[in-house]
Amino acid sequence: MFFHAHPDDEALLTGGTMARLAAEGHRVVLVVATAGELGLSASQQDLGVVRTREAHVSAKALGCARVEFLGYRDSGLEGTRGFARADVAEAAGRLAELLHEERADLLTTYDPTGGYGHPDHVQVHRVGALAAELAGTLRVWEATVDRTLLLRGLRLARLARRFDLTPFKSAYTPRADITHTVNVRRYTDQKRAALAAHATQTTGGDQTRTLTALLSLPKPLFRLVMGTEWYIERKRLRAR
């Protein structure tokens, strides 16, 4: 079971792993906390409704057997309301019910800082950790990015366009703390299709969006850049 904060997070952080597991015969379930109503987009449509549809298209490309939304409101970067302020025990109980129902043997969440600090991502970490404890889920993997490689890539990108690297120096996870590196190069076509499904997240704002930049890469370069996914396994829990 892959637990994410907003539609498109699943494709960016764990899409290759999901596609690989599905191809290897595992049942893969996507659970999304919010519909991403406050995501940056140039779309004039009801963003939550559209992004929900996009998540289903993405999940199909990745081979998911089931998609569930917990129904919380997107908190935005301010995090003053919505999922970020939801009762952790209540949300964890709902996720634990799904874990029980699916008899899941693995749950993915996010690292403690939510990667780059988004309040909803931090809440995914909290809720997921408690849900796994309540359900007795044996393994919890925290989806993250190798900070060393991220900074290396961003320094190369700065040769074309200057921007501040400071926020990224504490983002995601130092290489030494990563416990699992998953090779997903054989599944980057599925991952690319999943990213492309989130069309609303390719526009909006005054800078090039991450999805737009990734989807513009030639396939060989996309495979190189997006062909690895990273996780932290903190501990194994005893089954109840």
Side-chain angles (χ1 to χ4, degrees), residues 111-113 140-148 170-181 230-235:
D111 62 30
T113 62
V140 179
W141 284 15
E142 299 172 1
T144 188
V145 173
D146 181 334
R147 186 188 296 165
T148 301
S170 59
Y172 296 103
T173 303
R175 178 173 294 177
D177 294 339
I178 292 171
T179 61
H180 292 72
T181 301
W230 300 270
Y231 300 88
I232 309 161
E233 185 171 13
R234 298 290 180 184
K235 63 180 179 179

Side-chain angles (χ1 to χ4, degrees), residues 42-58:
S43 173
Q44 300 300 309
Q45 304 175 69
D46 186 330
L47 194 56
V49 172
V50 177
R51 294 192 73 185
T52 297
R53 289 201 300 264
E54 291 176 342
H56 281 277
V57 175
S58 170

Side-chain angles (χ1 to χ4, degrees), residues 200-223:
T200 59
Q201 298 308 290
T202 61
T203 59
D206 55 4
Q207 295 183 347
T208 303
R209 303 295 301 279
T210 299
L211 261 63
T212 301
L214 292 174
L215 291 170
S216 69
L217 296 175
K219 280 192 175 183
L221 185 54
F222 183 90
R223 186 175 298 113

Side-chain angles (χ1 to χ4, degrees), residues 6-25:
H6 316 103
D8 85 352
D9 291 329
E10 82 290 339
L12 280 164
L13 286 172
T14 65
T17 306
M18 297 167 79
R20 177 173 171 172
L21 287 172
E24 291 175 352

